[in-house]
Amino acid sequence: MKEAINRPVKAIIHLDQLRENIRLIRQHLDSKQKFYAVVKADGYGHGAIPIARVAQQCGVDGLCVAVLDEALELRQAGIHLPILVLGITHPKFAQLMVDNHISVTVSSLDFLKQAKTYMIQGVLPIHVALDTGMNRIGLKTGEEITGLMHELEQSECYQLEGVFTHFATADGEDDNRVQKQYEQFQHLLSYLTIQPTYTHLGNSAMSIWRNHYFSDIVRIGIAMYGLNPSDFTLPMPLPIKPILSLETEIIHVHQLKRGEAVSYGAKYIAKEDEWIATLPLGYADGWRRDLGKQSVYIGHEKCDIVGVVCMDQMMIKISQPYPVGTKVELIGQHQSASDLAVNIGTIGYEILCGISQRVHRVYVDK
Ligand SMILES: Cc1ncc(COP(=O)(O)O)c(C=O)c1O
């Protein structure tokens, strides 16, 4: 779907703040650690290409995406950094990955056995995923690793660039499960007969709060975009700030008479005469229906959303008949994606990734 550039709804992405966040995170890391910027899901809704370009200018060491198409999009945009696809890719794409210098995540021996049959030339850089308790992807046992090592020793098609794991509770207070996963990682590493260039385990949460569990590469997503990975569970020690704000304008104003109802289902009924403004975005833009009990801001004035959120529009209660064109903040100085998320029982990530493609992204850089 195309971005709607001819309506007043904008996600403003502050690239100067992105640079600052990268600088702050980098400063917090060990100087030996490689910084891989995670730009999957279109850069968590911020636009993978512009984010990757800035990350590249800032000297990050590599990028992570979830699926092959995201990696190819970056290559087509001229990004030359190493790219790791974190999800599982079909082995039939092995040669395409080699040709585009893209590293693949390997989660089974079967992948290696099949991928080489699709390769004509070159060497595929692989990162082996070890499942230490997330129970999502990866090899789980020493026996499986031994089998995979055997295959790697036999084959000249692969280069063992990395071995990694991912933590399920790195953004929580309790360290027990993290410790267990870490020990399991160490245990599984002992089955390696070929040493990888890198072992890695750090996402934003691990790198910020638990960087003593050392990781050659850190895979930094949410913190780079300026959000606390735990939203508010753990205090954020770095002065990172969100890089995205979401703005719109009032497109219609009318007076509601006492007893009149707003929107589908007529669920909001005015208790007195009041002013209502209509905003030109709705759940098709990522402002989900369950955000219908939240507020937005006109200047410093907090205005409640009233009635259910429609697909393309929603209504707010305003204290006075503001003119059409008045600016409205949905995410920004007064409320972050994390604030909204905790109010509706989700996480900041989901709010950001949920901002749909229809929303015009505007990049600002000081
Ligand atoms: C394997 C893996 N590594 C790193 C990340 C980045 O995580 P975060 O955004 O919390 O830094 C993710 C994100 O989901 C992931 O799946």
Side-chain angles (χ1 to χ4, degrees):
M1 192 215 300
K2 280 209 161 147
E3 274 189 21
I5 57 171
N6 297 308
R7 70 163 178 175
V9 177
K10 284 185 284 190
I12 300 164
I13 291 126
H14 302 269
L15 297 175
D16 44 317
Q17 187 60 49
L18 173 64
R19 284 179 225 284
E20 179 61 4
N21 291 347
I22 292 174
R23 191 188 68 78
L24 289 163
I25 297 162
R26 173 70 94 190
Q27 216 173 43
H28 176 79
L29 299 172
D30 189 296
S31 61
K32 290 192 287 298
Q33 290 180 299
K34 302 257 179 225
F35 187 134
Y36 272 44
V38 182
V39 296
K40 60 197 172 103
D42 203 21
Y44 293 36
H46 297 71
I49 294 171
I51 297 295
R53 284 203 179 115
V54 169
Q56 187 166 272
Q57 286 161 7
C58 290
V60 308
D61 302 286
L63 300 168
C64 295
V65 294
V67 298
L68 175 56
D69 304 78
E70 294 174 329
L72 293 172
E73 183 189 37
L74 294 171
R75 283 287 177 257
Q76 277 148 21
I79 302 290
H80 54 70
L81 287 171
I83 303 178
L84 167 61
V85 177
L86 292 168
I88 290 178
T89 310
H90 194 284
K92 69 183 174 192
F93 298 114
Q95 189 62 50
L96 184 60
M97 297 186 90
V98 172
D99 294 343
N100 285 280
H101 308 286
I102 294 166
S103 305
V104 68
T105 289
V106 172
S107 183
S108 68
L109 172 58
D110 217 36
F111 176 92
L112 291 188
K113 286 191 164 158
Q114 286 190 46
K116 65 181 180 193
T117 67
Y118 293 97
M119 286 170 63
I120 301 158
Q121 57 181 14
V123 175
L124 179 63
I126 66 166
H127 288 236
V128 175
L130 300 184
D131 185 355
T132 56
M134 176 79 176
N135 284 311
R136 190 167 66 175
I137 59 167
L139 306 180
K140 269 184 115 154
T141 64
E143 205 182 340
E144 285 174 305
I145 297 169
T146 303
L148 190 115
M149 287 295 127
H150 188 65
E151 175 67 27
L152 283 181
E153 282 157 10
Q154 311 287 307
S155 170
E156 307 213 318
C157 294
Y158 306 114
Q159 182 224 339
L160 185 59
E161 192 173 61
V163 175
F164 75 100
T165 195
H166 191 58
F167 284 74
T169 57
D171 58 354
E173 279 161 350
D174 187 0
D175 203 49
N176 280 341
R177 210 174 265 275
V178 175
Q179 177 70 32
K180 279 208 184 90
Q181 276 201 249
Y182 184 71
E183 283 164 11
Q184 179 64 3
F185 188 51
Q186 296 306 318
H187 170 68
L188 293 179
L189 290 181
S190 70
Y191 288 87
L192 298 179
T193 51
I194 303 171
Q195 282 318 302
T197 315
Y198 308 113
T199 61
H200 52 109
L201 49 77
N203 60 357
S204 295
M206 284 301 288
S207 310
I208 288 168
W209 294 299
R210 298 185 157 98
N211 205 33
H212 50 281
Y213 294 108
F214 190 76
S215 189
D216 290 324
I217 292 176
V218 293
R219 312 181 301 258
I220 304 287
I222 198 75
M224 186 175 72
Y225 303 104
L227 258 60
N228 178 331
S230 75
D231 289 317
F232 301 104
T233 308
L234 297 177
M236 170 52 69
L238 311 179
I240 55 169
K241 291 201 191 101
I243 69 166
L244 178 143
S245 45
L246 184 63
E247 285 180 13
T248 189
E249 291 174 6
I250 292 176
I251 51 155
H252 180 73
V253 176
H254 63 109
Q255 198 175 31
L256 202 64
K257 294 287 174 207
R258 181 167 173 260
E260 283 188 298
V262 176
S263 197
Y264 292 118
K267 290 190 174 141
Y268 177 80
I269 298 169
K271 292 199 182 72
E272 57 196 354
D273 293 359
E274 58 193 54
W275 290 102
I276 296 291
T278 302
L279 307 180
L281 81 166
Y283 61 79
D285 299 293
W287 199 271
R288 305 153 36 148
R289 277 169 59 112
D290 55 2
L291 286 171
K293 298 248 172 341
Q294 303 303 303
S295 306
V296 297
Y297 287 84
I298 295 179
H300 294 300
E301 185 187 331
K302 190 175 180 189
C303 306
D304 292 340
I305 298 168
V306 292
V308 299
V309 173
C310 308
M311 189 184 289
D312 319 297
Q313 296 171 88
M314 63 192 196
M315 279 60 81
I316 59 172
K317 181 174 168 178
I318 51 179
S319 60
Q320 52 186 291
Y322 289 114
V324 164
T326 300
K327 187 174 142 185
V328 179
E329 174 201 307
L330 298 126
I331 296 175
Q333 201 196 332
H334 296 87
Q335 68 187 358
S336 67
S338 287
D339 291 318
L340 290 168
V342 295
N343 289 344
I344 62 163
T346 183
I347 53 175
Y349 299 71
E350 196 184 5
I351 300 289
L352 293 177
C353 293
I355 300 173
S356 79
Q357 289 229 304
R358 188 166 74 176
V359 175
H360 184 30
R361 267 70 173 177
V362 176
Y363 296 90
V364 296
D365 206 349
K366 273 186 201 143

